[in-house]
Amino acid sequence: MNQSSEPFQENRDYIIKNLKHTTNAPAAEGAGLLGEIEGTLQGHRDGHGFLIPDDGSADIYLPAQETQAVMHGDRLRVRIVRMDKRGRPEGRVLEILERKKRPIIGRLLLESGVWLVAPEDRRMGQDILIPKNGIANATAGQVVAVELTEPPSLYSKPVGRVVEVLGEIDDPGMEIEIAVRKYDVPHRFSPETLAQSAKLPERLRAADLKHRIDLRDVALVTIDGEDARDFDDAVYCEPFKQGRGKKAFEGWRLLVAIADVSHYVKPGEPLDADAYERATSVYFPRRVIPMLPEKLSNGLCSLNPYEDRLSMVCDMLVSTDGEVTAYQFYPAVICSHARFTYTEVAAILGNTHGPEAAKRRELVPHLLHLHEVYRALLAERNRRGAVDFETTETQIVCDDNGRIEKIVPRVRNEAHRLIEEAMLAANVCSADFILGSKHPSLYRVHEGPTPEKRQTLQAYLRSLGIGMGLSEDPSPREFQQLAEATKDRADAQQIHQMLLRSMQQAIYTGTNSGHFGLAYPAYTHFTSPIRRYPDLLVHRVIKALLGNKRYTLDASKMNVPQAPKRPGRAAPPNPAEARNEGERWEVVGAHCSANERRADEASRDVEAWLKCRYMRDRLGEVFAGTVSAVTSFGLFVQLDELYVEGLVHITELGGEYFRFDEVRQELRGERTGIRYVTGARVQVQVSRVDLDGRRIDFRLVRDDEEARLLARTPAGRSPGKAAPKSAGRKRTPKTAVETLEDVRQADRDVKKSRKAVVASLHPVKAAQQAAKRAATKAAKKTAAKSTPRKRR
């Protein structure tokens, strides 16, 4: 299960994550008042910053005067000098331990004869001065990479020189060039790697086939998306029966063949060094930055149709109940019999006599067998209680200039699920094989909710009146049952989002803790070695075990920066201090997890830029949308037609005070009682697009009834009464009695309008209160009649 820093920089999840700097964070664990602590500076566009401590304790606020001589990304030593009213630490910079050495990306500007670069990453906080002899061949307005020659000080701005000219801001693909440098994504292979890649053969040699099982006559096929270029996996299935009586087996034989990247990428070689540095391929609209050179990723390793390829095969027996009863791994040589797309396979499964099936008639029976084993595996998944949320994924369709043409929902059909179940089965078998052999490896671990997140979720469910709760140690089945029980509610999307957010992010680690979302006791990534380094390591471990050997991590793998501590987890071991095999695997896991998150952030940044550019041409247009998230500072709304998300700031919600209810995840107006919750339907107008900040702002468009409820009655005027026309003559000043009467009338009008608002929002409650007042009035009247009057 995929679990796919300045405010408003990339998306709402990024914004919400940065709210940790303004909430009740506890004081640093590692240092108290006047204590010293080391960490990395996270700048803010407003000039101040936060120190992110190395030990994972609470962030330390640094006011603007403390960040004048430092920049985002610098490593500092800070002393905690005070605590604010909420117990949050504030620091003073004592020492700059290390300056960030990466080039800074920005736009070259000429202002009043002075050349400067405005950093694209607003967290840098200040512009960079460029001497006239340091602009290279760049011109004003171009995007450049700058290397600092003089760091900032208390009395001067940083100075730098242009080291690379990327081009004009409107050039096709410029957003990708910016993102890969902004997030330090390696995008150029070393000369040694390119030289080694060039020496690789164009096709298989006889020596490559030794000690491999020949499966070229087996009808293995690849099933991928229309735009896929590298094919990691091929599948095949046939019915299988064995034995008689009680020992009889009936089911299917499922083969999952994975590209054998480990045959070409050996430990300690340049190819391996570059692949480990990247750790994953990075996917952008219309462009991929691969983990391996194209000769391998799209050539020798890719399971292209009708070409002989080396592979590692997971050969499984699946019972009619969907249980994998036996499996084996072996190296093989295969030849893919066809390259299918998901759409094509879904059409064949939907109509075996249709035109798509007629083109592939000889392979249709094999696809039907794959569908049968998929149904059995899916039934076992349901019995296991794995979490399965239906979420809407989108795909960006670009034009020839790299700009968004349209954004369409990515529909998951039976073919997507078929391949997913086959890959899950192979991944589980690889984890079981390694775990049973007691060999160290990388596991894909996904843990359930922390106690704090569980309590927050429990309170949220109670606030919605959902009787189903969670146990002290919740299981995946409980989450799935909650999802099933609430799927028909109007706020189902909101509830499922909260269920998803309560779980922790999946990571790579050398310690197996199981996969909560998939309800597996052990799980690895085995099926995508072309684009994920952890899969390549798992292949090496399996190959070593098949040869009765052990795979030992190369010492060069420890030459990586220390991964940051994650909330709720122990600090990862320092690479320089990793002494035993277990600690080395933990270092590698932390490195791969961090690079996976980096790739996700870079991809989101590019998508956010493209969406901002897309919406810039729609300023002033009105769209229908759904509230996708509620925060203390406003509402995030996703447009129905365009699948673009933007922010309605709280100041756009009307002239009253709104309270944020964290438990209910809603904003409620104190005067009118109007509520905004996730899943609410709204009309919005595109009011502002900030391309540099990756921010889209909406303005709420209210219907007539809502506008009437929020309208305030001007003082001294009855509702519906027109303002008196001026006669052009001097007005007589009012007496004190008249002024007092005006104040009383205004007070009566305000009370009357408030009652009308409450009555329209809560008609049942208003009717009950009116009946109660009438009963009280009648009782008083009766009592007055029965009471004898005194004579005067």
Side-chain angles (χ1 to χ4, degrees):
M1 178 178 176
N2 296 328
Q3 292 291 327
S4 18
S5 169
E6 65 178 325
F8 317 109
Q9 186 165 353
E10 292 162 3
N11 54 31
R12 62 178 171 81
D13 293 330
Y14 193 62
I15 298 170
I16 294 170
K17 179 179 71 174
N18 281 272
L19 287 177
K20 65 184 180 180
H21 299 313
T22 59
T23 55
N24 287 334
E29 299 170 6
L33 192 61
L34 301 182
E36 297 180 7
I37 196 163
E38 297 180 0
T40 303
L41 174 65
Q42 180 174 281
H44 192 278
R45 65 187 301 170
D46 293 337
H48 59 266
F50 299 89
L51 185 83
I52 313 301
D54 294 338
D55 61 6
S57 55
D59 301 347
I60 300 169
Y61 173 74
L62 298 175
Q65 63 267 26
E66 292 294 327
T67 60
Q68 291 179 2
V70 294
M71 299 187 74
H72 169 73
D74 290 349
R75 292 200 69 252
L76 312 173
R77 178 180 289 115
V78 166
R79 173 176 293 157
I80 300 175
V81 293
R82 66 176 61 87
M83 299 287 181
D84 67 9
K85 295 179 180 179
R86 298 181 181 178
R88 298 173 300 185
E90 182 178 322
R92 176 178 299 160
V93 177
L94 296 180
E95 182 182 359
I96 302 172
L97 302 176
E98 183 182 357
R99 293 280 188 182
K100 187 176 181 180
K101 299 177 181 178
R102 297 277 186 177
I104 298 170
I105 309 301
R107 294 185 69 178
L108 183 65
L109 305 174
L110 179 60
E111 296 185 357
S112 303
V114 177
W115 290 95
L116 56 87
V117 167
E120 201 278 339
D121 190 344
R122 298 289 185 87
R123 294 174 295 181
M124 291 298 171
Q126 47 189 318
D127 296 337
I128 302 165
L129 299 177
I130 308 294
K132 290 184 179 180
N133 60 354
I135 64 172
N137 59 344
T139 58
Q142 287 187 314
V143 181
V144 297
V146 175
E147 183 182 78
L148 291 184
T149 55
E150 296 180 23
S153 69
L154 293 175
Y155 307 104
S156 63
K157 286 186 175 292
V159 180
R161 63 185 182 90
V162 175
V163 294
E164 183 182 8
V165 180
L166 303 184
E168 300 295 336
I169 188 65
D170 291 327
D171 288 349
M174 178 55 63
E175 67 280 358
I176 298 177
E177 297 296 333
I178 292 174
V180 295
R181 291 163 176 82
K182 178 179 176 180
Y183 291 95
D184 300 333
V185 176
H187 58 285
R188 294 192 181 97
F189 290 105
S190 66
E192 295 80 8
T193 293
L194 295 176
Q196 184 184 357
S197 175
K199 293 178 182 178
L200 293 173
E202 298 295 333
R203 56 183 58 87
L204 297 187
R205 300 165 297 186
D208 298 326
L209 308 183
K210 290 183 179 180
H211 311 297
R212 290 182 179 270
I213 295 177
D214 193 339
L215 297 181
R216 284 176 286 190
D217 59 335
V218 177
L220 286 149
V221 297
T222 61
I223 305 175
D224 291 276
E226 282 79 1
D227 55 351
R229 296 179 61 194
D230 54 343
F231 308 116
D232 289 278
D233 53 85
V235 290
Y236 169 80
C237 184
E238 64 182 15
F240 186 82
K241 293 184 180 180
Q242 186 180 51
R244 293 181 179 180
K246 294 182 178 180
K247 295 184 178 181
F249 173 85
E250 184 175 356
W252 300 270
R253 184 184 180 193
L254 174 62
L255 271 67
V256 175
I258 306 299
D260 190 1
V261 177
S262 62
H263 180 81
Y264 300 101
V265 182
K266 305 291 186 183
E269 295 182 348
L271 268 173
D272 183 56
D274 270 16
Y276 179 64
E277 182 186 11
R278 297 176 179 221
T280 182
S281 297
V282 187
Y283 291 86
F284 300 108
R286 299 187 70 215
R287 181 180 170 187
V288 177
I289 297 180
M291 185 181 78
L292 300 171
E294 189 172 352
K295 187 171 184 179
L296 285 170
S297 59
N298 297 341
L300 272 174
C301 292
S302 182
L303 305 182
N304 300 325
Y306 319 118
E307 295 184 17
D308 294 349
R309 289 290 183 262
L310 305 182
S311 69
M312 283 293 295
V313 175
C314 180
D315 193 342
M316 297 168 278
L317 293 181
V318 183
S319 69
T320 53
D321 294 333
E323 182 182 355
V324 179
T325 60
Y327 64 83
Q328 61 177 331
F329 289 91
Y330 50 81
V333 55
I334 70 165
C335 179
S336 172
H337 283 46
R339 181 264 200 266
F340 283 104
T341 66
Y342 292 122
T343 305
E344 188 179 5
V345 171
I348 292 173
L349 295 176
N351 182 7
T352 55
H353 300 288
E356 292 85 1
K359 297 176 186 177
R360 312 279 190 144
R361 192 168 301 280
E362 71 283 356
L363 294 174
V364 169
H366 303 304
L367 293 179
L368 293 177
H369 294 323
L370 280 168
H371 189 252
E372 291 168 358
V373 76
Y374 149 68
R375 301 298 300 178
L377 290 169
L378 184 62
E380 166 58 23
R381 177 193 184 114
N382 294 333
R383 284 192 295 270
R384 201 171 63 246
V387 181
D388 187 16
F389 297 132
E390 287 295 334
T391 56
T392 302
E393 296 182 2
T394 58
Q395 178 182 3
I396 293 177
V397 179
C398 295
D399 57 21
D400 294 336
N401 295 321
R403 303 291 179 252
I404 293 181
E405 182 178 308
K406 58 182 177 180
I407 302 174
V408 296
R410 193 191 298 269
V411 180
R412 290 179 72 243
N413 54 39
E414 289 285 278
H416 287 90
R417 298 183 178 93
L418 184 155
I419 290 299
E420 179 183 334
E421 289 298 329
M423 297 305 110
L424 290 176
N427 286 335
V428 172
C429 289
S430 64
D432 184 75
F433 182 59
I434 294 171
L435 198 62
S437 303
K438 298 182 179 179
H439 193 293
S441 182
L442 276 190
Y443 295 92
R444 183 66 168 179
V445 168
H446 176 227
E447 297 187 26
T450 61
E452 295 78 16
K453 287 188 175 183
R454 182 187 62 79
Q455 292 174 4
T456 301
L457 178 61
Q458 192 87 302
Y460 170 72
L461 295 174
R462 280 198 301 268
S463 71
L464 296 181
I466 299 175
M468 299 176 62
L470 296 173
S471 62
E472 291 294 326
D473 186 17
S475 66
R477 185 180 300 279
E478 294 179 54
F479 276 75
Q480 185 60 23
Q481 288 173 346
L482 274 167
E484 285 292 325
T486 57
K487 65 179 181 181
D488 296 327
R489 289 174 56 116
D491 55 355
Q493 187 74 15
Q494 171 190 0
I495 296 171
H496 292 181
Q497 284 183 1
M498 290 299 293
L499 290 173
L500 199 58
R501 289 177 189 171
S502 69
M503 291 184 266
Q504 300 183 56
Q505 189 178 35
I507 61 169
Y508 295 106
T509 175
T511 304
N512 174 44
S513 301
H515 198 292
F516 181 85
L518 295 172
Y520 286 132
Y523 188 71
T524 62
H525 273 172
F526 163 79
T527 53
S528 298
I530 292 178
R531 60 186 180 91
R532 292 190 306 228
Y533 197 83
D535 302 53
L536 175 57
L537 290 176
V538 168
H539 275 236
R540 288 175 178 170
V541 170
I542 291 176
K543 271 192 174 181
L545 291 173
L546 293 176
N548 294 320
K549 299 177 182 177
R550 289 182 68 84
Y551 173 69
T552 304
L553 282 173
D554 187 358
S556 64
K557 299 286 185 295
M558 300 303 104
N559 187 24
V560 293
Q562 184 173 2
K565 180 183 180 296
R566 299 181 66 245
R569 296 184 180 274
N574 189 331
E577 298 174 357
R579 298 289 180 259
N580 56 51
E581 192 71 7
E583 290 181 350
R584 291 192 181 99
W585 281 100
E586 289 293 339
V587 168
V588 171
H591 169 76
C592 293
S593 298
N595 284 14
E596 178 187 44
R597 290 191 290 274
R598 179 182 66 183
D600 290 340
E601 289 173 356
S603 298
R604 285 197 298 267
D605 186 79
V606 169
E607 290 184 7
W609 192 94
L610 288 172
K611 289 178 179 179
C612 286
R613 181 64 184 264
Y614 182 54
M615 295 305 294
R616 198 166 63 175
D617 298 331
R618 288 163 173 77
L619 282 169
E621 294 185 26
V622 177
F623 300 93
T626 304
V627 176
S628 55
V630 181
T631 69
S632 60
F633 53 82
L635 314 172
F636 286 95
V637 177
Q638 186 179 58
L639 305 184
D640 295 343
E641 300 175 10
L642 305 182
Y643 298 97
V644 170
E645 197 172 57
L647 175 69
V648 179
H649 197 268
I650 196 168
T651 55
E652 297 286 346
L653 296 182
E656 68 167 313
Y657 183 77
F658 282 87
R659 287 191 180 274
F660 175 57
D661 188 332
E662 190 172 1
V663 174
R664 293 177 179 269
Q665 290 290 296
E666 70 175 20
L667 283 172
R668 181 188 292 269
E670 283 199 343
R671 180 171 60 87
T672 62
I674 285 182
R675 299 164 58 242
Y676 294 101
V677 298
T678 306
R681 304 283 300 147
V682 292
Q683 290 271 341
V684 294
Q685 182 185 43
V686 184
S687 61
R688 180 174 176 268
V689 175
D690 181 3
L691 198 61
D692 293 333
R694 313 292 194 266
R695 173 177 172 176
I696 302 170
D697 286 339
F698 295 148
R699 181 182 295 115
L700 210 58
V701 178
R702 306 184 189 280
D703 56 26
D704 294 339
E705 179 66 17
E706 209 172 11
R708 184 184 68 80
L709 295 176
L710 286 172
R712 294 180 64 93
T713 304
R717 191 184 308 161
S718 300
K721 187 176 180 180
K725 294 182 180 180
S726 174
R729 61 181 181 271
K730 189 175 179 181
R731 301 180 63 182
T732 306
K734 292 184 179 182
T735 65
V737 174
E738 291 174 335
T739 304
L740 179 60
E741 182 56 29
D742 285 346
V743 171
R744 288 174 176 171
Q745 181 61 42
D747 185 60
R748 286 192 293 269
D749 291 340
V750 170
K751 288 181 179 179
K752 190 173 181 180
S753 63
R754 284 179 179 175
K755 288 179 181 179
V757 169
V758 173
S760 60
L761 291 174
H762 307 285
V764 176
K765 187 176 180 181
Q768 291 174 346
Q769 290 177 347
K772 187 177 179 181
R773 285 196 299 269
T776 304
K777 189 175 181 180
K780 287 182 178 179
K781 196 172 183 181
T782 303
K785 287 181 179 180
S786 61
T787 303
R789 294 186 177 180
K790 291 183 179 180
R791 287 196 172 197
R792 294 189 178 178

